[in-house]
Amino acid sequence: MPLKGVKVIELVGLAPGPFCGQVLSDFGADVIRVDKAYQKEIENLKRGKKLVLIDLKKDEGKDIFKRLCKTADVVIETFRPGVMERLGLGPDVLMPVNDRLIYTRVSGFGQSGSLAKKAGHDINYLAISGILSKLGVKDRPIPPINVLGDYGGGGLIAAIGILLALFERTKSGKGQIIDSNLTEGTAYLCSWIWESMEDSWLMHDVMWPKKDQRMSNLLDGGSPFYRCYRTKDDKFMAVGSQEWKFYQPFVETLGLDIDECDRNEVSNWDQLSEKFAKVFETKTQKEWTEMFEKVDACVTPVLDLQEAHKYKHNVDRNSYFTNGRPRPAPILCRTPAAPLSHDNSDYDCLHTKQILLNYGYTEAFIKQLTDKRVIEVESIASKL
């Protein structure tokens, strides 16, 4: 796999850090998760990773962590600025010993600024990034499930940063600190929105006829040819018939007269949407799916999480594991990801003792560390 041989130390935290580590693990990196001894966090995205339980507040625990990082390529931490420094495990301590180390800091607001040390969640980061103002219904913003900030602007952008730093290191031989945060990462992920709203952009008026209003524009659910419609069986169809070559077969498949479905006047969009909605309610999702599979109109069924892996195209592509979870993307032709299809259980991925043995610790010293509760070699969950 493309990241085979890359050693990653992931400090267990909230969503973006584990997802960043998951991406690296799926593509071959050796990821060791470091969690609190006797205070293990509830978390997921641990597929293919190893787990050590260490009390980083104790000197012996700090020494273990430093030894892990001495030969590591990457560290991922998701704490507020200053936490690792107070533990004595910040980049100022770890990088002089390992100048190839890529120290990745994934935070909500970044390592500096007036909000840097404030708490927040996905909704807060999207709010100050400007993106949340464009999401939702006409009368109020509505946050999406936390994938946009936590996993897109957070974990995925951090993973890209790590890959960039690994590539640069092949030339300089040096590691570096990555300041990756959800606020800026999400904004960057959505750069096109700012660009498309500029008055100088040729398609500005088409894309954003009412840019100060949500659900009133081309791609935000305001247009009748780019939105979801309820079917007879209370499911939905997704319509993306933007271009005329798709819009015409869309209207014709609905059994409507194209001359009576003028889409060019924005003031008529609501009425046209109501007309389409009434037609969609006359058939089931299955019936509409079968009809639209025969034409090229950019209309597809809205599948739920339990159905997606059974959909023919997804089956053809082997896009999901048999348990319904998505496979890693993208697909590399020579060195594709080869991950497990499921998360390790706490018992399966608890490797504290074995990892410490690999790093030169003796059985006797590991027992001393266990007796002093510096490390945990057998989690409560593994005893159940």
mmCIF file of all heavy atoms in Angstrom, residues 313-335:
data_model
loop_
_atom_site.group_PDB
_atom_site.id
_atom_site.type_symbol
_atom_site.label_atom_id
_atom_site.label_comp_id
_atom_site.label_asym_id
_atom_site.label_seq_id
_atom_site.Cartn_x
_atom_site.Cartn_y
_atom_site.Cartn_z
ATOM 1 N N HIS A 313 -25.379 -0.090 -9.010
ATOM 2 C CA HIS A 313 -24.120 0.552 -9.390
ATOM 3 C C HIS A 313 -23.061 0.359 -8.311
ATOM 4 O O HIS A 313 -21.894 0.063 -8.614
ATOM 5 C CB HIS A 313 -24.330 2.046 -9.635
ATOM 6 C CG HIS A 313 -23.051 2.787 -9.872
ATOM 7 N ND1 HIS A 313 -22.369 2.752 -11.066
ATOM 8 C CD2 HIS A 313 -22.299 3.568 -9.037
ATOM 9 C CE1 HIS A 313 -21.271 3.473 -10.975
ATOM 10 N NE2 HIS A 313 -21.195 3.979 -9.746
ATOM 11 N N ASN A 314 -23.459 0.525 -7.061
ATOM 12 C CA ASN A 314 -22.508 0.367 -5.963
ATOM 13 C C ASN A 314 -22.039 -1.075 -5.835
ATOM 14 O O ASN A 314 -20.892 -1.337 -5.471
ATOM 15 C CB ASN A 314 -23.134 0.850 -4.653
ATOM 16 C CG ASN A 314 -23.432 2.337 -4.686
ATOM 17 O OD1 ASN A 314 -22.796 3.093 -5.415
ATOM 18 N ND2 ASN A 314 -24.418 2.770 -3.906
ATOM 19 N N VAL A 315 -22.933 -2.014 -6.133
ATOM 20 C CA VAL A 315 -22.552 -3.433 -6.148
ATOM 21 C C VAL A 315 -21.573 -3.694 -7.297
ATOM 22 O O VAL A 315 -20.554 -4.382 -7.131
ATOM 23 C CB VAL A 315 -23.794 -4.333 -6.288
ATOM 24 C CG1 VAL A 315 -23.380 -5.790 -6.496
ATOM 25 C CG2 VAL A 315 -24.691 -4.206 -5.058
ATOM 26 N N ASP A 316 -21.859 -3.132 -8.469
ATOM 27 C CA ASP A 316 -20.980 -3.288 -9.630
ATOM 28 C C ASP A 316 -19.566 -2.815 -9.313
ATOM 29 O O ASP A 316 -18.576 -3.414 -9.753
ATOM 30 C CB ASP A 316 -21.514 -2.495 -10.826
ATOM 31 C CG ASP A 316 -22.822 -3.055 -11.372
ATOM 32 O OD1 ASP A 316 -23.136 -4.215 -11.065
ATOM 33 O OD2 ASP A 316 -23.517 -2.318 -12.108
ATOM 34 N N ARG A 317 -19.487 -1.719 -8.576
ATOM 35 C CA ARG A 317 -18.193 -1.113 -8.258
ATOM 36 C C ARG A 317 -17.551 -1.707 -7.011
ATOM 37 O O ARG A 317 -16.414 -1.376 -6.688
ATOM 38 C CB ARG A 317 -18.387 0.388 -8.022
ATOM 39 C CG ARG A 317 -18.848 1.173 -9.221
ATOM 40 C CD ARG A 317 -17.683 1.689 -10.014
ATOM 41 N NE ARG A 317 -16.752 2.457 -9.195
ATOM 42 C CZ ARG A 317 -15.517 2.770 -9.598
ATOM 43 N NH1 ARG A 317 -15.084 2.369 -10.775
ATOM 44 N NH2 ARG A 317 -14.721 3.489 -8.818
ATOM 45 N N ASN A 318 -18.305 -2.546 -6.285
ATOM 46 C CA ASN A 318 -17.812 -3.063 -5.005
ATOM 47 C C ASN A 318 -17.441 -1.898 -4.086
ATOM 48 O O ASN A 318 -16.397 -1.903 -3.419
ATOM 49 C CB ASN A 318 -16.603 -3.974 -5.236
ATOM 50 C CG ASN A 318 -16.298 -4.839 -4.030
ATOM 51 O OD1 ASN A 318 -17.175 -5.139 -3.236
ATOM 52 N ND2 ASN A 318 -15.036 -5.227 -3.885
ATOM 53 N N SER A 319 -18.314 -0.904 -4.048
ATOM 54 C CA SER A 319 -18.026 0.339 -3.331
ATOM 55 C C SER A 319 -18.154 0.225 -1.818
ATOM 56 O O SER A 319 -17.650 1.080 -1.095
ATOM 57 C CB SER A 319 -18.985 1.439 -3.813
ATOM 58 O OG SER A 319 -18.874 1.641 -5.208
ATOM 59 N N TYR A 320 -18.846 -0.816 -1.372
ATOM 60 C CA TYR A 320 -19.089 -0.977 0.063
ATOM 61 C C TYR A 320 -18.657 -2.363 0.514
ATOM 62 O O TYR A 320 -18.659 -3.319 -0.255
ATOM 63 C CB TYR A 320 -20.585 -0.795 0.378
ATOM 64 C CG TYR A 320 -21.091 0.614 0.157
ATOM 65 C CD1 TYR A 320 -21.374 1.072 -1.120
ATOM 66 C CD2 TYR A 320 -21.281 1.480 1.229
ATOM 67 C CE1 TYR A 320 -21.833 2.369 -1.333
ATOM 68 C CE2 TYR A 320 -21.742 2.767 1.036
ATOM 69 C CZ TYR A 320 -22.019 3.203 -0.250
ATOM 70 O OH TYR A 320 -22.459 4.484 -0.452
ATOM 71 N N PHE A 321 -18.303 -2.454 1.788
ATOM 72 C CA PHE A 321 -18.068 -3.760 2.388
ATOM 73 C C PHE A 321 -19.403 -4.480 2.542
ATOM 74 O O PHE A 321 -20.473 -3.864 2.464
ATOM 75 C CB PHE A 321 -17.400 -3.611 3.756
ATOM 76 C CG PHE A 321 -16.010 -3.049 3.706
ATOM 77 C CD1 PHE A 321 -15.743 -1.770 4.178
ATOM 78 C CD2 PHE A 321 -14.958 -3.797 3.193
ATOM 79 C CE1 PHE A 321 -14.458 -1.245 4.144
ATOM 80 C CE2 PHE A 321 -13.673 -3.283 3.154
ATOM 81 C CZ PHE A 321 -13.420 -2.012 3.626
ATOM 82 N N THR A 322 -19.352 -5.766 2.802
ATOM 83 C CA THR A 322 -20.594 -6.540 2.940
ATOM 84 C C THR A 322 -21.425 -6.085 4.138
ATOM 85 O O THR A 322 -22.635 -6.296 4.169
ATOM 86 C CB THR A 322 -20.280 -8.041 3.088
ATOM 87 O OG1 THR A 322 -19.358 -8.225 4.179
ATOM 88 C CG2 THR A 322 -19.666 -8.584 1.810
ATOM 89 N N ASN A 323 -20.789 -5.442 5.110
ATOM 90 C CA ASN A 323 -21.537 -4.958 6.263
ATOM 91 C C ASN A 323 -22.170 -3.580 6.012
ATOM 92 O O ASN A 323 -22.781 -2.991 6.905
ATOM 93 C CB ASN A 323 -20.651 -4.905 7.513
ATOM 94 C CG ASN A 323 -19.469 -3.950 7.368
ATOM 95 O OD1 ASN A 323 -19.363 -3.208 6.398
ATOM 96 N ND2 ASN A 323 -18.566 -3.976 8.335
ATOM 97 N N GLY A 324 -22.005 -3.055 4.786
ATOM 98 C CA GLY A 324 -22.641 -1.797 4.431
ATOM 99 C C GLY A 324 -21.778 -0.570 4.582
ATOM 100 O O GLY A 324 -22.162 0.520 4.164
ATOM 101 N N ARG A 325 -20.599 -0.701 5.155
ATOM 102 C CA ARG A 325 -19.728 0.463 5.310
ATOM 103 C C ARG A 325 -18.987 0.760 4.002
ATOM 104 O O ARG A 325 -18.629 -0.148 3.254
ATOM 105 C CB ARG A 325 -18.704 0.213 6.417
ATOM 106 C CG ARG A 325 -19.301 0.148 7.813
ATOM 107 C CD ARG A 325 -18.190 0.122 8.840
ATOM 108 N NE ARG A 325 -18.705 0.008 10.202
ATOM 109 C CZ ARG A 325 -17.933 0.094 11.267
ATOM 110 N NH1 ARG A 325 -16.619 0.257 11.140
ATOM 111 N NH2 ARG A 325 -18.457 -0.009 12.477
ATOM 112 N N PRO A 326 -18.724 2.044 3.741
ATOM 113 C CA PRO A 326 -18.019 2.377 2.495
ATOM 114 C C PRO A 326 -16.551 1.973 2.507
ATOM 115 O O PRO A 326 -15.893 2.039 3.539
ATOM 116 C CB PRO A 326 -18.160 3.908 2.406
ATOM 117 C CG PRO A 326 -18.631 4.377 3.729
ATOM 118 C CD PRO A 326 -19.134 3.212 4.506
ATOM 119 N N ARG A 327 -16.079 1.555 1.356
ATOM 120 C CA ARG A 327 -14.654 1.264 1.202
ATOM 121 C C ARG A 327 -13.870 2.569 1.057
ATOM 122 O O ARG A 327 -14.432 3.595 0.671
ATOM 123 C CB ARG A 327 -14.422 0.393 -0.024
ATOM 124 C CG ARG A 327 -14.919 -1.044 0.126
ATOM 125 C CD ARG A 327 -14.593 -1.868 -1.108
ATOM 126 N NE ARG A 327 -15.033 -3.243 -0.959
ATOM 127 C CZ ARG A 327 -14.329 -4.204 -0.371
ATOM 128 N NH1 ARG A 327 -13.121 -3.913 0.099
ATOM 129 N NH2 ARG A 327 -14.779 -5.424 -0.270
ATOM 130 N N PRO A 328 -12.571 2.539 1.334
ATOM 131 C CA PRO A 328 -11.752 3.743 1.171
ATOM 132 C C PRO A 328 -11.708 4.213 -0.279
ATOM 133 O O PRO A 328 -11.775 3.411 -1.210
ATOM 134 C CB PRO A 328 -10.361 3.287 1.631
ATOM 135 C CG PRO A 328 -10.616 2.125 2.514
ATOM 136 C CD PRO A 328 -11.814 1.435 1.940
ATOM 137 N N ALA A 329 -11.597 5.490 -0.445
ATOM 138 C CA ALA A 329 -11.468 6.101 -1.765
ATOM 139 C C ALA A 329 -10.347 7.136 -1.702
ATOM 140 O O ALA A 329 -10.072 7.683 -0.626
ATOM 141 C CB ALA A 329 -12.789 6.752 -2.165
ATOM 142 N N PRO A 330 -9.666 7.412 -2.815
ATOM 143 C CA PRO A 330 -9.881 6.883 -4.163
ATOM 144 C C PRO A 330 -9.229 5.513 -4.343
ATOM 145 O O PRO A 330 -8.554 5.013 -3.445
ATOM 146 C CB PRO A 330 -9.198 7.934 -5.046
ATOM 147 C CG PRO A 330 -8.061 8.424 -4.204
ATOM 148 C CD PRO A 330 -8.593 8.439 -2.795
ATOM 149 N N ILE A 331 -9.429 4.952 -5.542
ATOM 150 C CA ILE A 331 -8.872 3.642 -5.867
ATOM 151 C C ILE A 331 -7.569 3.826 -6.647
ATOM 152 O O ILE A 331 -7.554 4.446 -7.707
ATOM 153 C CB ILE A 331 -9.867 2.820 -6.706
ATOM 154 C CG1 ILE A 331 -11.170 2.594 -5.918
ATOM 155 C CG2 ILE A 331 -9.260 1.482 -7.116
ATOM 156 C CD1 ILE A 331 -12.280 1.986 -6.740
ATOM 157 N N LEU A 332 -6.480 3.331 -6.114
ATOM 158 C CA LEU A 332 -5.187 3.370 -6.806
ATOM 159 C C LEU A 332 -5.001 2.048 -7.545
ATOM 160 O O LEU A 332 -5.182 0.983 -6.946
ATOM 161 C CB LEU A 332 -4.054 3.599 -5.812
ATOM 162 C CG LEU A 332 -3.850 5.039 -5.296
ATOM 163 C CD1 LEU A 332 -5.020 5.512 -4.461
ATOM 164 C CD2 LEU A 332 -2.549 5.142 -4.502
ATOM 165 N N CYS A 333 -4.625 2.104 -8.810
ATOM 166 C CA CYS A 333 -4.604 0.884 -9.627
ATOM 167 C C CYS A 333 -3.511 -0.083 -9.204
ATOM 168 O O CYS A 333 -3.689 -1.299 -9.284
ATOM 169 C CB CYS A 333 -4.480 1.246 -11.105
ATOM 170 S SG CYS A 333 -2.864 1.869 -11.611
ATOM 171 N N ARG A 334 -2.352 0.418 -8.751
ATOM 172 C CA ARG A 334 -1.264 -0.488 -8.379
ATOM 173 C C ARG A 334 -1.183 -0.723 -6.871
ATOM 174 O O ARG A 334 -0.809 -1.808 -6.429
ATOM 175 C CB ARG A 334 0.086 0.076 -8.867
ATOM 176 C CG ARG A 334 0.304 0.013 -10.364
ATOM 177 C CD ARG A 334 1.745 0.342 -10.719
ATOM 178 N NE ARG A 334 2.142 1.688 -10.297
ATOM 179 C CZ ARG A 334 2.874 1.966 -9.230
ATOM 180 N NH1 ARG A 334 3.321 0.995 -8.451
ATOM 181 N NH2 ARG A 334 3.187 3.218 -8.926
ATOM 182 N N THR A 335 -1.492 0.301 -6.097
ATOM 183 C CA THR A 335 -1.339 0.185 -4.644
ATOM 184 C C THR A 335 -2.618 0.613 -3.936
ATOM 185 O O THR A 335 -2.642 1.610 -3.214
ATOM 186 C CB THR A 335 -0.166 1.061 -4.157
ATOM 187 O OG1 THR A 335 -0.394 2.423 -4.584
ATOM 188 C CG2 THR A 335 1.146 0.570 -4.713
#
